[in-house]
Amino acid sequence: AAARFGQGPLAGKRVLLTAGPTREFLDPVRFISNPSTGKMGLALAEAARTMGARVTVVLGPVGAVDRTGLEVVDVVSAEEMAREVLSRVREADWFIASAAVSDWRPETRAPQKVKKGETPEVLKLVRTPDVLAEASRTVAGSSRRPVLVGFAAETERVLEHAREKLERKGLDAIVANDVTVAGAGFGTETNQVTVLTRAGTRRDLSGTKREVARGILELLLPLAAPPTE
Ligand code: CTP
Ligand code: CA
């Protein structure tokens, strides 16, 4: 049974999350994306809500999902995701970036469907905004800086890459995900992760995405500033 609103260890806290993939269109009917289903992010949203938080999910295209008790802001592209996050992150107590944001988009988007006879010989790509890094810069030095949590989806040298991202993006913690492990990563019901903190702690968690989500939040609760009383 879900906890009543406003009770639990995150009572009254605002948790902002990104979840799902983004789509970067090259014409009205074609896009670049990835296999993310948003399940891990939505499990985190549900876990945070159960712990009493007010949860906003900036959600890429994932199809029909249970939105009960969540504020969901639907977005398609990385640029839209960045805009919706940056307008909200200053008010957040937690920002958790679980979205699989496309790192590139086609440089141009054709206004009409490109016909198959007009095969583009090269597809020029440009970088999208790094939503998490921009959010981190936006709140850097603020007295009410949210706890910043990232994910790292890796296929090799997982912890090394995750640690590097934690430092480069100015995070408090990062959830490292080896997406080559069976039963972890994109689209699965279960996950197996290692949570690294800026303070240097390291913890392995595995189970259903729901269990892992709860484990991540419980592990990270001490990172939040103590109530000012
Ligand atoms: N992220 C983001 N915006 C992007 C790319 C990544 O917000 N344009 C966030 C992800 O949501 C995740 C973290 O940054 O929390 C790390 O994402 P990941 O793809 O693992 O790392 P990148 O920094 O994009 O580096 P690379 O893909 O080269 O490994
Ligand atoms: Ca990336």
Side-chain angles (χ1 to χ4, degrees):
R4 259 171 299 166
F5 178 76
Q7 293 189 351
L10 288 173
K13 297 291 182 194
R14 287 170 183 257
V15 174
L16 179 65
L17 274 144
T18 64
T22 67
R23 288 180 182 173
E24 313 299 332
F25 278 84
L26 53 128
D27 77 6
V29 298
R30 302 182 179 97
F31 56 79
I32 296 176
S33 191
N34 61 67
S36 169
T37 55
K39 276 186 191 147
M40 192 63 233
L42 289 162
L44 278 162
E46 173 59 21
R49 187 181 73 89
T50 305
M51 292 171 147
R54 295 160 64 178
V55 182
T56 301
V57 187
V58 180
L59 182 64
V62 293
V65 293
D66 184 2
R67 298 163 173 242
T68 313
L70 306 174
E71 183 194 7
V72 178
V73 180
D74 292 291
V75 297
V76 175
S77 67
E79 252 160 69
E80 283 169 24
M81 186 173 276
R83 187 177 341 118
E84 299 298 342
V85 165
L86 296 178
S87 70
R88 289 173 172 82
V89 70
R90 288 182 194 80
E91 280 72 52
D93 298 294
W94 291 73
F95 175 53
I96 306 175
S98 74
V101 184
S102 176
D103 292 316
W104 307 289
R105 64 171 171 82
E107 184 179 40
T108 55
R109 176 174 173 169
Q112 304 301 336
K113 180 180 171 184
V114 178
K115 301 310 287 178
K116 66 182 170 193
E118 302 162 3
T119 308
E121 274 186 31
V122 282
L123 185 57
K124 175 110 197 274
L125 301 178
V126 295
R127 288 277 296 273
T128 54
D130 188 317
V131 180
L132 176 55
E134 289 196 7
S136 178
R137 274 198 294 278
T138 299
V139 299
S142 144
S143 56
R144 280 194 73 259
R145 181 182 167 281
V147 177
L148 298 173
V149 183
F151 273 71
E154 306 291 352
T155 59
E156 57 168 0
R157 299 186 4 233
V158 176
L159 296 185
E160 184 188 328
H161 283 139
R163 168 71 54 195
E164 184 273 323
K165 284 172 191 173
L166 181 152
E167 281 163 19
R168 175 160 46 90
K169 303 193 191 201
L171 309 180
D172 298 289
I174 196 155
V175 182
N177 220 173
D178 183 341
V179 294
T180 65
V181 170
F186 292 126
T188 56
E189 292 301 329
T190 56
N191 209 352
Q192 190 176 317
V193 302
T194 303
V195 183
L196 304 178
T197 63
R198 174 155 55 181
T201 67
R202 173 182 157 176
R203 262 282 285 283
D204 293 331
L205 295 172
S206 64
T208 63
K209 285 188 172 172
R210 187 195 174 111
E211 289 162 351
V212 170
R214 204 170 171 91
I216 290 169
L217 291 181
E218 277 168 0
L219 185 64
L220 298 182
L221 277 174
L223 299 181
T228 46
E229 279 175 295

